[in-house]
């Protein structure tokens, strides 16, 4: 970069001219103006190009095509104009220079040549770049402003808003944008002067204006009290010296800002209104100007100047003078530079508004960086929402405490100027490690409530003053309401989306009682809607350690590496405290693993062994390198697991997302616990159901094929009432039974267990079939209110050597057994008799049937015969038709065909338990 400056020098005599392309002489400028008249397509302006004013001084500089050049160019223009005495033009000139140099070194990507020309009544600034093809559309006057969001038109829009005249000039090698700012007309020798007013419009004051001078020591107690203070408040100096001034203050807050008097006394400079209680008890409104000073020993003290509030004009700092508009007609206007920067209309979205705010705040104070934080709902923390000049990706949504640091620098509720952050380390945690040395921060407040904080930082120390803090505070007050409105609008959208998300999540979680599916839903609902990755830990019982049950990442290629990393890390401590808590172990473990692998990769001997895994290790470290939070899964006052959510490297969770995740974790915990309870109940029911069925395998009956099919209805959470059994009674005799207890659940299971075990015991006492069932009937009735009706088919099977078999059966209210003859005919194998569990006196009888070789005996429960499709029912006749088609089939094939026919009879799932017991006599095979 070459810098040059001259007070009254010609272009050829300025230093550094050899290092930069020669600037245009007056003759060159005249030729350029002629080209402009001849070729209007090549030049765009909104006023005359040639001003006619004599150039009294010039300064030039060339800037390299890099982002840091923008700040250097602003400093160059500021120092040049202040050296010329044009302090009133510094703000607008630096802002316009910042935009135009940005266009050159950032958007055009070329070096920027900057020329400042001092004229008698103003200053002209030219910015040239080496990108002549980057044209600006020509419009008829007045200039049609482009969209403020467009990078290419924003600088020209600012020129149109702030400059008295401006234009664009093209040549074969350069494109030059220039602007001119006029000096405001004011009496010579005055720094700032108010408007000329008629006498009747001058502020009122007493014949003798009293200015109370009060000095406070380091403890903020009164150390000096002048005569005017005695006159205004009625206290003699001896009455108040040694007392805190705040004891006399009657107003707890400053109107409009919410700053307390005690806080205002600690600021280096402050102006505002509050009240002091006089000796008579009357509150006297005063306007005060406070200045913090040091005595010869270096002890701080505060000097307070106070006047009656209606006489505030005596102390109040004058407003900045009005500027004339660009028409040159002298009509007074009062454009606010910050409002111009934000643009009209401002961005509709919150992020766009915040980003433009920090950019304009940085340019307004000519800082190197700027940031804006928004307060959480409880105002205890601030979230970084926009920044420029800082690593925004690393800082976005990072949270800092409202009260941090020491002394006045620690509060975000007041303006603060940090002259050197090295003197107050940690005062602004956001800037730690960024290289920034000085910073000014101001609060954003709406109706006295803290809504955010706006700050501008610089790499040089002692860069900002209290005057610049007042300017930034004024800008913050202007934008605070717009920011808060946009924030509330975004928050409302987010909350509506959160409600819809939670409703959908609740429906999905309530739609399953499967534990594994619930875990999968929990993870899939959070990734990527809430977090980049998710891990669910479960706790079986209070004495168990957390177990990593499910891991999900939005990039499926990262799941295995993430799972391996979390397996090596000790699980988070289960606590019942609600709310998210930060968990740093995964990020630290991933960082250490990546560091170890990277160091091993430097060893040539190990490069081939670890080289393939370095990429995965680094990718895993990046995946978990951001903020990780743990939310407890609490259900029924017990921690049943933890929901872990993570962000990739340098990312943080925003507060509203964490609140949404907390709501989701409560619903997920209840759903997971319900799934656990259901699984336990289902396991108990299945275990009980298996205990009610005979042990497998069934005994082998000589010369008899036996096949059993059992299908429980539903999902197995209720114990069914159907059962079957086949057992040896004595040598050569086998008992078989198939029954159905009325109802389901524990009561039905009790009767089922009683029936199956009683049948075996009674049958092995060599009792005939009717006696067995009569005693079973008495046992069921003894159960009293727990008794249930029972239909039962019981029989004894006596295989014979000739391949036939003798059956002795009793059918107590059960579907009749069907016999399939070898010729394909089907007939009942028993007669119906009364069911059990209804009456005391039963007169049951036993029937004997001889089965021939090739015959099939089919026994079923009513879940088979009562299979329905609308008004149709399979019934006994339908079952007989199915059985007729089973001639020649084995017992297993017969049972399978019957079950298939029953399943195909209706589209709906069966609503009742079904049991099939098929026996076939194949006959004796002789070699």
């Amino acid at each position: 970069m070459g810098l040059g400056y001259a007070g009254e020098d010609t272009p050829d005599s300025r230093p550094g001219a050899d290092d930069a392309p020669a600037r245009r002489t007056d003759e060159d400028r005249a030729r350029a103006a002629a080209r402009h008249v001849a070729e209007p397509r090549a030049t765009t302006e909104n006023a005359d190009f040639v001003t006619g004013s004599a150039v009294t001084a010039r300064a030039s500089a060339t800037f390299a095509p890099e982002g840091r050049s923008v700040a250097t160019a602003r400093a160059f223009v500021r120092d040049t104009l202040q050296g010329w005495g044009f302090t009133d033009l510094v703000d607008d000139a630096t802002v316009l220079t910042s935009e135009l140099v940005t266009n050159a070194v950032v958007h055009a990507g070329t070096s920027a040549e900057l020329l400042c020309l001092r004229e008698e009544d103003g200053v002209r600034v030219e910015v040239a770049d080496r990108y002549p093809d980057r044209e600006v559309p020509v419009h008829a006057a007045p200039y049609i402003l482009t969209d403020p969001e467009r990078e290419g038109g924003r600088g020209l829009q600012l020129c149109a808003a702030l400059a008295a005249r401006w234009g664009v000039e093209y040549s074969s090698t350069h494109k030059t944008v220039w602007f001119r700012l006029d000096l405001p007309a004011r009496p010579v020798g005055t720094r700032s002067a108010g408007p000329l007013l008629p006498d009747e419009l001058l502020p009122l004051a007493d014949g003798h204006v009293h200015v109370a001078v009060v000095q406070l020591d380091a403890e903020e107690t009164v150390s000096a009290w002048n005569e005017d203070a005695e006159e205004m408040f009625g206290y003699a100096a001896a009455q108040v010296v040694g007392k805190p001034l705040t004891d006399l203050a009657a107003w707890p807050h400053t109107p409009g800002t919410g700053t307390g008097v005690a806080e205002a006394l600690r600021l280096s400079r402050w102006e505002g209104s509050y009240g002091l209680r006089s000796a008579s008890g009357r509150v006297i409104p005063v306007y005060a100007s406070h200045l913090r000073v040091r005595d010869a020993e270096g002890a701080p003290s505060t000097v307070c100047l106070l006047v009656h509030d209606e006489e505030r004009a005596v102390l109040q700092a004058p407003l900045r003078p009005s500027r004339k508009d660009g028409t040159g007609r002298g009509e007074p206007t009062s454009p606010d530079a910050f409002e111009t920067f934000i643009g009209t209309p401002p961005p509709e979205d919150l992020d766009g508004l915040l980003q433009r705010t920090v950019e304009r705040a940085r340019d307004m104070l000519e800082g190197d960086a700027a940031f804006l934080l928004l307060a959480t709902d409880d105002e205890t923390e601030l979230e970084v929402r926009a920044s420029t000049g800082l690593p925004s990706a690393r800082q976005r949504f990072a949270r800092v405490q409202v009260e941090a640091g020491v002394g006045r620098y620690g509060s975000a509720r007041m303006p603060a100027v940090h002259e050197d952050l090295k003197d107050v380390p940690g005062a602004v945690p956001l800037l730690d490690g960024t290289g920034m040395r000085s910073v000014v921060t101001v609060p954003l407040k709406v109706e006295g409530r803290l809504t955010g904080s706006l700050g501008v930082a610089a790499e040089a120390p002692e860069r900002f003053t209290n005057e610049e803090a007042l300017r930034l505070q004024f800008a913050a007050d202007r934008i605070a309401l717009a920011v808060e409105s946009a924030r509330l609008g975004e928050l409302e959208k987010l909350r509506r989306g959160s409600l819809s998300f939670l409703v959908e999540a609740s429906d999905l979680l309530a739609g399953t009682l499967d534990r594994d599916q619930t875990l999968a839903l929990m993870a899939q609902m959070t990734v990527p809607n809430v977090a980049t990755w998710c891990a669910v830990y479960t706790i079986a019982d209070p004495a168990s350690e957390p177990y990593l049950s499910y891991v999900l990442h939005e990039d499926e290629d990262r799941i295995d590496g993430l799972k391996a990393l979390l397996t090596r890390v000790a699980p988070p401590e289960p606590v019942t405290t609600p709310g998210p808590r930060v968990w740093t172990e995964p990020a630290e473990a991933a960082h250490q693993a990546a560091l170890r692998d990277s160091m091993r990769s430097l060893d040539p001997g190990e490069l081939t062994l670890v080289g393939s895994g370095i990429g995965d290790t680094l990718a895993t470290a990046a995946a978990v390198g951001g903020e990780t939070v743990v939310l407890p899964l609490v259900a029924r006052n017990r921690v049943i697991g933890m929901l872990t959510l993570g962000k990739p490297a340098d990312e943080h969770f925003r507060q509203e997302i964490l609140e949404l995740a907390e709501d989701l974790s409560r619903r997920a915990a209840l759903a997971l616990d319900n799934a656990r309870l259901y699984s336990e109940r289902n396991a108990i029911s299945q275990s009980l159901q298996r205990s009610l069925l005979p042990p497998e395998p069934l005994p082998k009956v000589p010369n008899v094929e036996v096949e059993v099919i059992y299908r429980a209805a539903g999902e197995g959470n209720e114990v069914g009432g159907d059962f079957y059994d086949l057992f040896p009674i004595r040598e050569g005799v086998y008992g078989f039974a198939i029954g159905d207890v009325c109802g389901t659940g524990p009561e039905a299971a009790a009767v089922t267990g009683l029936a199956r075990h009683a049948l075996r015991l009674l049958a092995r006492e060599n009792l005939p079939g009717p006696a067995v069932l009569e005693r079973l009937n008495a046992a069921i009735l003894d159960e009293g209110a727990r008794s249930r009706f029972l239909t039962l088919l019981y029989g004894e099977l006596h295989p014979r050597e000739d391949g036939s078999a003798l059956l002795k059966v009793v059918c107590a209210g059960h579907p009749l057994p069907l016999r399939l003859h070898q010729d394909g005919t089907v007939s009942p194998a028993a007669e119906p008799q009364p069911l059990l569990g209804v009456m005391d006196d039963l007169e049951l009888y036993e029937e004997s049937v001889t089965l021939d070789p090739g015959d099939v005996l089919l026994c079923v429960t009513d879940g088979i015969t009562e299979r329905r499709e609308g008004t149709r029912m399979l019934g006994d006749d339908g079952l007989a038709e199915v059985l007729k088609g089973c001639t020649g089939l084995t017992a297993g094939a017969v049972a399978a065909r019957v079950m298939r026919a029953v399943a195909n009879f209706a589209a709906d799932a069966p609503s009742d338990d079904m049991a099939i017991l098929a026996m076939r006599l194949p006959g004796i095979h002789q070699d």
Side-chain angles (χ1 to χ4, degrees):
M1 180 192 306
L3 294 178
Y5 171 83
E8 303 289 343
D9 297 340
T10 62
D12 295 336
S13 63
R14 69 183 187 276
D18 295 337
D19 299 334
R23 300 300 304 168
R24 293 187 301 276
T25 64
D26 292 340
E27 181 180 356
D28 294 332
R29 231 180 342 268
R31 286 197 297 268
R35 286 199 306 271
H36 166 67
V37 174
E39 298 178 13
R41 179 178 58 84
T43 304
T44 302
E45 59 182 49
N46 67 344
D48 296 335
F49 183 82
V50 181
T51 66
S53 300
V55 176
T56 60
R58 67 183 72 228
S60 64
T62 303
F63 302 94
E66 57 187 18
R68 190 175 296 273
S69 296
V70 179
T72 308
R74 289 198 302 265
F76 172 76
V77 172
R78 181 184 66 248
D79 296 340
T80 299
L81 267 61
Q82 287 178 344
W84 289 346
F86 290 173
T87 56
D88 291 321
L89 304 181
V90 168
D91 290 343
D92 292 344
T94 52
V95 167
L96 296 178
T97 300
S98 176
E99 289 292 339
L100 299 181
V101 173
T102 299
N103 289 339
V105 302
V106 176
H107 302 305
T110 73
S111 60
E113 300 175 7
L114 178 62
L115 175 65
C116 298
L117 301 175
R118 186 180 73 182
E119 301 173 349
E120 296 176 351
D121 56 351
V123 64
R124 173 188 172 105
V125 178
E126 300 180 359
V127 178
D129 64 51
R130 298 178 177 273
Y131 192 1
D133 294 334
R134 185 179 174 87
E135 296 188 359
V136 177
V138 177
H139 299 274
Y143 177 70
I144 300 176
L145 297 180
T146 60
D147 185 355
E149 296 294 339
R150 292 183 54 189
E151 295 289 344
R154 195 164 56 192
L156 301 183
Q157 180 182 355
L158 290 175
C159 289
L162 301 180
R165 289 177 293 279
W166 65 277
V168 182
E169 176 187 348
Y170 293 97
S171 69
S172 60
T173 59
H174 289 75
K175 174 175 67 47
T176 302
V177 181
W178 62 269
F179 62 87
R180 190 179 193 281
L181 299 173
D182 294 336
L183 284 173
R186 64 185 183 189
V188 178
T190 61
R191 180 178 181 275
S192 179
L196 298 176
L197 296 177
D199 293 345
E200 60 271 13
L201 297 181
L202 294 175
L204 295 174
D206 291 340
H208 175 67
V209 177
H210 296 282
V211 179
V213 180
V214 181
Q215 189 161 1
L216 311 176
D217 58 19
E219 285 73 29
E220 300 174 9
T221 59
V222 177
S223 60
W225 185 268
N226 73 343
E227 294 179 356
D228 279 351
E230 295 181 0
E231 180 70 22
M232 289 175 61
F233 306 114
Y235 296 107
Q239 294 177 279
V240 294
V241 170
K243 294 183 178 181
L245 181 66
T246 53
D247 290 352
L248 305 178
W251 291 356
H253 295 89
T254 301
T257 65
T259 303
V261 175
E263 289 82 1
L265 293 174
R266 291 192 291 271
L267 294 176
S268 58
R269 184 182 295 275
W270 183 85
E271 288 184 17
S273 298
Y274 54 90
L276 286 180
R277 184 171 287 104
S278 66
S280 63
R282 184 171 63 90
V283 175
I284 299 178
V286 298
Y287 188 85
S289 176
H290 300 169
L291 177 65
R292 293 275 283 178
V293 296
R294 288 186 299 169
D295 59 19
E297 287 75 25
S301 62
T302 304
V303 177
C304 305
L305 304 180
L306 303 98
V307 297
H308 290 289
D309 193 57
E310 64 270 13
E311 298 172 347
R312 64 171 57 205
V314 176
L315 299 180
Q316 191 170 27
L319 298 176
R320 297 177 64 188
S322 300
R323 226 181 7 250
K324 296 182 180 181
D325 64 5
T327 62
R329 291 192 292 268
E331 297 178 3
T333 60
S334 56
D336 178 65
F338 195 77
E339 187 176 47
T340 304
F341 300 160
I342 294 302
T344 304
E348 295 182 358
D349 64 297
L350 177 62
D351 289 338
L353 177 62
L354 299 182
Q355 190 61 36
R356 192 180 298 182
T357 297
V358 296
E359 292 173 357
R360 300 303 181 254
R362 177 202 61 191
D363 294 344
M364 184 174 70
L365 299 189
E366 303 166 28
D368 298 313
F371 54 88
L372 193 150
L373 303 89
L374 293 184
T376 55
D377 290 341
D378 57 4
E379 297 183 18
T380 60
E381 289 185 318
L382 296 169
E383 278 189 339
V384 179
R385 293 300 301 271
S387 64
T388 181
L390 295 175
S392 57
R394 175 172 64 86
Q395 304 292 352
R396 186 165 171 79
F397 295 121
R399 289 177 295 281
V400 296
Q401 297 293 323
V402 170
E403 305 295 336
V406 182
R408 68 182 181 90
Y409 298 112
S411 178
R413 303 181 188 278
M414 297 185 299
V417 177
H418 304 246
E419 295 181 349
D420 195 340
L421 291 175
K422 287 188 176 180
D423 297 336
V424 280
V428 183
L430 180 65
L431 299 180
D432 291 346
T434 61
M436 299 296 163
R437 293 285 298 276
S438 57
V439 63
V440 54
T441 61
V442 296
L444 274 68
K445 293 188 176 182
V446 176
E447 298 179 353
R449 183 175 61 85
L450 179 69
T451 60
S453 178
L454 176 63
V456 179
E459 295 179 352
E462 300 181 2
R463 177 64 187 79
F464 303 104
T465 64
N466 286 296
E467 184 176 282
E468 289 171 312
L470 292 175
R471 291 176 58 202
L472 188 62
Q473 182 67 73
F474 178 75
D477 293 341
R478 296 293 300 272
I479 200 64
L481 184 58
V483 169
E484 180 66 3
S485 299
R487 186 187 75 87
L488 292 176
E490 181 195 65
L491 187 60
E492 180 62 24
K493 292 180 181 178
L494 181 61
R495 286 176 175 171
R496 286 200 299 266
S498 299
L499 289 176
S500 300
F501 173 76
L502 289 174
V503 169
E504 182 179 357
S506 299
D507 289 342
L508 290 173
L509 291 171
T512 178
L513 289 173
D514 182 82
R515 177 183 176 276
D516 293 338
Q517 189 173 0
T518 302
L519 290 172
L521 283 175
M522 290 170 58
Q524 292 166 6
M525 285 185 295
T526 56
V527 177
N529 297 319
V530 176
T532 305
W533 63 269
C534 168
V536 183
Y537 291 84
T538 56
I539 303 175
D541 55 73
S544 301
E545 291 293 326
Y547 175 75
L548 182 61
S549 299
Y550 202 91
V551 176
L552 184 65
H553 192 282
E554 65 179 4
D555 183 357
E556 294 183 357
D557 294 337
R558 304 271 73 83
I559 294 178
D560 292 339
L562 179 59
K563 184 181 296 185
L565 172 68
L566 295 177
T567 303
R568 295 193 300 268
V569 176
E573 185 70 21
V575 295
T576 57
T577 305
R581 54 191 172 95
V582 177
W583 187 33
T584 60
E585 280 78 359
E588 294 174 356
H591 175 74
Q592 293 297 328
L595 183 62
R596 287 194 301 268
D597 284 359
S598 298
M599 294 178 64
R600 286 202 303 267
S601 68
L602 298 178
D603 186 352
E606 296 188 13
L607 181 60
T608 57
L609 299 178
V610 301
S612 60
I614 293 177
D616 292 338
T617 304
L618 295 177
T620 301
V624 301
E627 188 175 34
T628 301
V629 296
V630 178
L631 296 106
L633 298 175
V634 181
R636 298 174 177 90
N637 298 322
R638 187 174 74 86
V639 179
I640 63 171
M642 285 89 70
L643 178 63
T644 303
L645 306 176
K647 285 283 190 179
D650 301 332
E651 289 195 20
H652 298 262
F653 288 99
R654 60 184 302 178
Q655 185 65 29
E656 294 83 2
I657 294 298
L658 291 178
E659 293 173 359
L660 173 63
E662 188 175 359
D663 287 339
L664 177 62
S665 67
R666 287 193 291 267
R667 290 164 170 79
L670 187 59
L672 184 61
D673 199 47
N674 289 338
R676 178 187 63 82
L677 294 175
Y678 177 81
S679 298
E680 292 178 356
R681 180 183 177 186
N682 190 27
I684 293 173
S685 297
Q686 291 179 352
S687 178
L688 180 57
Q689 187 73 67
R690 287 191 297 269
S691 71
L692 300 179
L693 299 177
E696 295 182 351
L698 294 175
K700 294 185 177 298
V701 181
N703 298 327
V704 178
E705 296 176 0
V706 179
E707 183 65 27
V708 175
I709 296 179
Y710 179 83
R711 295 286 186 273
E715 300 181 0
N717 59 321
E718 285 285 357
V719 180
D722 289 11
F723 70 96
Y724 64 88
D725 202 358
L726 178 65
F727 56 91
I729 297 177
R730 54 187 178 276
E731 186 177 358
V733 179
Y734 296 85
F736 67 92
I738 185 169
D740 186 2
V741 177
C742 177
T744 59
E747 292 82 1
V751 176
T752 301
L754 173 65
R756 193 176 74 81
H757 293 291
L759 281 176
R760 289 197 173 203
L761 291 173
L762 295 173
R764 288 169 178 171
E765 293 295 327
N766 293 323
L767 295 174
V772 171
L773 269 59
E774 288 170 1
R775 285 168 172 75
L776 175 60
N777 180 66
I780 294 174
L781 292 176
D782 288 343
E783 292 293 312
R786 297 181 299 175
S787 64
R788 290 290 187 273
F789 303 152
L790 170 64
T791 66
L792 180 64
L793 172 65
Y794 171 74
E796 293 181 0
L797 178 62
H798 300 259
R800 294 175 176 173
E801 295 181 358
D802 60 357
S804 63
L806 174 65
L807 286 179
K808 297 180 179 180
V809 296
V810 179
C811 185
H814 199 76
L816 300 179
L818 298 180
R819 177 183 180 183
L820 174 62
H821 300 270
Q822 296 185 58
D823 58 2
T825 59
V826 175
S827 61
E831 296 291 335
Q833 298 185 57
L835 52 81
L836 308 181
V838 178
M839 61 185 69
D840 293 331
D841 297 329
L842 289 180
E843 295 183 1
L844 301 176
Y845 57 90
E846 189 174 68
E847 300 178 72
S848 297
V849 179
T850 300
L851 296 180
D852 298 325
D855 288 353
V856 175
L857 183 69
L858 179 65
C859 309
V860 300
T861 58
D862 58 5
I864 299 291
T865 56
E866 295 180 1
R867 177 74 164 143
R868 293 180 179 274
E869 173 67 20
T871 59
R872 297 187 308 117
M873 186 172 70
L874 180 63
D876 294 336
D877 294 339
L879 180 61
E881 290 297 323
V882 174
L883 187 57
K884 287 180 181 179
C886 298
T887 304
L889 299 181
T890 63
V894 170
R897 178 169 293 187
V898 170
M899 182 58 72
R900 185 168 58 252
V902 172
N904 296 335
F905 185 80
D908 297 337
S911 59
D912 194 4
D913 298 338
M914 296 183 293
I916 299 174
L917 174 61
M919 293 182 288
R920 177 176 179 272
L921 276 63
I924 299 178
H925 299 282
Q926 298 179 352
D927 296 334

